[in-house]
């Protein structure tokens, strides 16, 4: 599919690409909620001047026309700023003309559009940052000064009586009265104050995005899909102001020897309506990569960047989340896990087409469970990257003692990757072995994201009962003749 004409592309007009995309996502969200259709004549206005327009039958059609013209302009013309001003003015006029129409979410949207319309390269995102800081500082301050909030009574009334949230009520019953609601209340207050501070400094943009999304997504998940009308989508789209946008088209360099990568590259070209990508065939068997402004991204980082920089996918995601409330928590949790920085190494391991490095597995030679583990690895280690040695042998003693490990302690398995580095042990060693056995077994290595003490406690529980459950040999078992070369010591 050919990219759209320059006038239609993101960043092809008078707004940078990230701000233009934010405006498009916000207007799509409002259109999905039939926002122009809810415009009406003035009713209980904030200013009496609007009373003069009541009954003329002009106010609603005029503001609806302005809104729709601005929405169309965001997709069809270079005049993105003027289009934002039209949408923002239509929203703000309806808010001022009717107290019944007012909501915090609509006001946030209106101000976002007006500030986008006032954007200049000289001021950059300063006004948008200031709005974020003021909104979250005001939210945090109002809650901190509200006795029902800081005492926990607000959350208690909301979750236990109004929503009747089963999991909350079950946990709260195990704790002293109001303790859980106080923890939740103060978590929100502290997070809102933190967002207000972080939004002021560009170097903290990544943390601003993560804290804001975590706060609102956590509420969405806890309340099983509640988005507080349009507010969740408005905040999520507005965060694009804090996201780096490429100064030149991105380059997708794919492995020309992989049929799957060729198909993904073709799909990327088909979805690139805004001309954001340049797709190139790279050397066969070389890792695929995304190049943004001279920086090269591979593995999970490349995939996440590609998804974020494909607006068609963001539009589709928005259209799925709006009507399907029960799907929202699952979508949000999946996205947070996919983009959570500490998990990037795990996704890299899972997505890698190359197997992880091998090494020497040190095991208890008289343990029935260890013997089964060794045979399990032998059957699946097609590239023969692992070798084996019993803990009772000389090799194990020479490999472990320099690093302070006692080879006489037979309750753990070790993985020795090189002579200089410390061996991996317990759960970490087992997951490293799984990661090298191919894509299917790499899924088990995802459990490594759990806290190491928890994983090792589970390992110790099994290790302590291994002889009783799986038996014990009188001496180290000899390997089969065909596999003897894989064993450093028989």
């Amino acid at each position: 599919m050919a990219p759209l004409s320059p006038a239609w592309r993101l960043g092809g007009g008078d707004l940078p690409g990230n701000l233009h995309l934010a405006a498009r996502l916000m207007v799509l969200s409002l259109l999905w909620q039939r926002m122009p259709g809810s415009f009406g004549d003035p009713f209980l206005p904030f200013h009496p001047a609007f009373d003069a327009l009541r009954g003329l039958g002009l106010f609603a059609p005029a503001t609806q026309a302005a809104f729709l013209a601005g929405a169309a302009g965001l997709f069809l013309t270079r005049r993105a700023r003027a289009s934002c001003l039209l949408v923002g003015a239509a929203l703000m006029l309806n808010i001022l003309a009717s107290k019944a129409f007012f909501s915090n979410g609509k006001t946030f949207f209106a101000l976002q559009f007006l500030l986008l319309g006032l954007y200049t390269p000289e001021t950059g995102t300063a006004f948008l940052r200031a709005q974020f800081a003021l909104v979250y500082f005001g939210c945090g301050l109002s809650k901190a000064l509200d006795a029902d909030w800081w005492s926990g009574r607000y959350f208690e009334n909301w979750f236990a009586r109004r929503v009747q949230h089963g999991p909350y009520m079950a946990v709260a019953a195990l704790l002293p009265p109001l303790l859980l609601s106080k923890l939740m209340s103060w978590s929100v207050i502290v997070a809102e104050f933190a967002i207000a501070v972080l939004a002021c400094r560009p170097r903290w943009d990544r943390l601003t995005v993560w804290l804001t999304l975590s706060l609102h997504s956590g509420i969405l998940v806890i309340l099983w899909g509640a988005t507080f009308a349009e507010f969740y989508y408005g905040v999520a789209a507005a965060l694009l102001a804090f996201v780096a946008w490429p100064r030149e088209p991105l380059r997708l360099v794919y492995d020309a020897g992989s049929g799957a990568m060729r198909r993904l590259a073709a799909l990327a070209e088909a979805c690139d309506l805004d001309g954001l990508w340049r797709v190139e065939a790279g050397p066969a068997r070389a890792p695929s990569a995304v190049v943004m402004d001279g920086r090269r991204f591979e593995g999970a980082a490349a995939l996440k960047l590609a998804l974020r920089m494909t607006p068609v996918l963001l539009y589709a995601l928005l259209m799925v989340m709006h009507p399907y409330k029960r799907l929202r928590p699952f979508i949000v949790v999946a996205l947070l896990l996919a983009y959570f920085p500490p998990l990037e190494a795990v996704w890299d391991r899972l997505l890698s087409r190359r197997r992880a490095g091998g090494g020497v597995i040190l095991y208890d030679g008289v343990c029935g469970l260890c013997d089964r583990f060794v045979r399990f690895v032998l059957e699946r280690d097609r590239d023969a990257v692992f070798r084996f040695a019993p803990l009772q042998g000389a090799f194990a003693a020479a490999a472990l003692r320099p690093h302070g490990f006692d080879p006489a302690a037979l309750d753990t398995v070790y993985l020795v990757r090189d002579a200089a580095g410390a061996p991996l042990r317990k759960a970490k060693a087992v997951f490293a072995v799984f990661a090298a056995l191919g894509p299917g077994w790499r899924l088990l290595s995802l459990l490594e994201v759990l806290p190491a003490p928890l994983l090792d406690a589970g390992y110790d529980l099994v290790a302590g009962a291994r002889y009783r459950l799986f038996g014990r040999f009188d001496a180290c078992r000899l390997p089969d003749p065909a596999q003897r070369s894989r064993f450093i010591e028989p």
Side-chain angles (χ1 to χ4, degrees):
M1 185 181 298
L4 299 173
S5 67
W8 294 24
R9 294 181 187 177
L10 285 174
D14 51 10
L15 273 181
N18 56 333
L19 302 185
H20 197 170
L21 178 58
R24 284 185 176 182
L25 289 169
M26 288 193 294
V27 85
L28 283 174
S29 178
L30 293 174
L31 287 169
W32 186 268
Q33 297 175 67
R34 301 179 178 85
M35 182 59 68
S38 62
F39 293 175
D41 278 345
F43 176 72
L44 298 176
F46 285 93
H47 194 281
F50 287 96
D51 284 327
L53 301 174
R54 188 183 306 166
L56 298 179
L58 297 175
F59 184 81
T63 53
Q64 287 172 346
F67 182 97
L68 293 173
L74 284 170
F75 287 90
L76 303 177
T77 75
R78 289 177 177 270
R79 305 285 185 180
R81 288 170 54 199
S83 300
C84 287
L85 287 173
L86 278 174
V87 174
L91 278 171
M92 187 57 73
L93 285 171
N94 276 273
I95 290 169
L96 296 174
S98 175
K99 293 178 181 177
F101 183 78
F102 166 82
S103 72
N104 290 332
K106 295 186 184 79
T107 306
F108 181 84
F109 266 87
L111 291 173
Q112 278 290 118
F113 279 114
L114 291 174
L115 292 174
L116 288 169
L118 296 174
Y119 168 87
T120 65
E122 293 74 27
T123 58
T125 59
F127 290 143
L128 296 167
R129 292 176 182 277
Q131 187 205 6
F132 240 75
L134 287 172
V135 165
Y136 282 94
F137 180 80
C139 289
L141 184 62
S142 67
K143 291 179 177 66
L145 296 178
D146 187 333
D148 285 339
W149 261 93
W150 54 257
S151 67
R153 289 194 297 269
Y154 179 87
F155 255 105
E156 179 70 16
N157 180 67
W158 188 17
F159 275 77
R161 296 178 178 84
R162 183 176 176 183
V163 179
Q164 295 185 341
H165 195 278
Y168 169 86
M169 295 166 67
V171 175
L174 303 175
L175 301 173
L178 296 180
L179 177 59
L180 181 59
S181 58
K182 284 181 181 179
L183 289 173
M184 296 178 72
S185 296
W186 279 102
S187 296
V188 172
I189 292 170
V190 171
E192 289 179 337
F193 277 130
I195 293 168
V197 174
L198 294 171
C200 298
R201 298 296 297 274
R203 67 175 180 171
W204 294 333
D205 281 352
R206 193 174 187 185
L207 187 54
T208 304
V209 171
W210 264 106
L211 184 56
T212 308
L213 284 179
S214 298
L215 172 63
H216 292 286
S217 298
I219 295 172
L220 182 150
V221 171
I222 291 172
L223 294 180
W224 200 247
T227 58
F228 298 97
E230 61 284 329
F231 188 67
Y232 179 85
Y233 304 108
V235 169
L239 286 171
L240 285 168
F242 300 85
V243 174
W245 195 259
R247 296 184 296 273
E248 56 190 34
L250 295 98
R251 292 170 52 222
L252 172 58
V253 184
Y254 66 91
D255 174 4
S258 167
M261 292 309 302
R262 286 198 300 271
R263 288 189 288 273
L264 282 175
L267 178 62
E269 284 189 298
C271 293
D272 182 25
L273 303 181
D274 294 287
L276 297 175
W277 293 90
R278 298 290 181 268
V279 179
E280 306 170 11
R285 305 296 299 173
S288 300
V290 173
V291 180
M292 174 177 166
D293 296 335
R295 280 189 69 192
R296 184 181 178 90
F297 299 85
E298 296 181 358
L303 180 60
K304 292 189 293 185
L305 180 59
L307 294 175
R308 192 183 81 206
M309 296 301 299
T310 305
V312 168
L313 297 181
L314 298 180
Y315 303 150
L317 181 65
L318 183 65
M319 294 300 99
V320 170
M321 287 185 66
H322 260 296
Y324 300 109
K325 180 179 179 181
R326 294 299 181 187
L327 284 179
R328 292 174 195 162
F330 299 104
I331 294 172
V332 165
V333 169
L335 289 173
L336 288 177
L337 289 176
Y339 280 85
F340 190 46
L343 295 182
E344 191 161 297
V346 177
W347 302 132
D348 276 335
R349 177 186 294 176
L350 185 62
L351 294 171
S352 175
R353 296 179 63 219
R354 299 188 299 262
R355 296 191 177 197
V360 181
I361 297 174
L362 307 180
Y363 64 99
D364 178 0
V366 298
C367 166
L369 175 61
C370 298
D371 179 71
R372 289 180 177 145
F373 178 67
V374 168
R375 295 180 186 281
F376 170 89
V377 175
L378 281 168
E379 291 172 5
R380 290 158 183 82
D381 182 19
R382 296 191 302 272
D383 296 334
V385 298
F386 289 113
R387 299 179 73 194
F388 307 88
L391 284 166
Q392 291 87 344
F395 179 87
L400 296 179
R401 283 190 177 125
H403 300 285
F405 297 125
D406 181 8
L410 304 177
D411 59 348
T412 184
V413 67
Y414 295 90
L415 177 61
V416 180
R417 284 200 158 140
D418 58 71
L424 302 179
R425 59 195 295 266
K426 295 191 177 183
K428 188 173 283 293
V430 173
F431 287 132
V433 172
F434 282 136
L437 295 181
W441 296 107
R442 284 192 201 121
L443 288 171
L444 288 176
S445 71
L446 294 183
L447 292 172
E448 199 172 355
V449 303
L450 296 174
L454 178 64
L455 293 173
D456 284 343
Y459 181 96
D460 290 338
L461 184 66
V462 174
R466 68 192 189 282
Y467 292 150
R468 185 173 67 255
L469 295 175
F470 299 96
R472 177 176 181 172
F473 306 121
D474 293 331
C476 296
R477 291 189 63 181
L478 295 176
D480 296 335
Q483 299 169 335
R484 189 161 296 174
S485 62
R486 303 281 299 279
F487 289 77
I488 294 177
E489 294 171 329

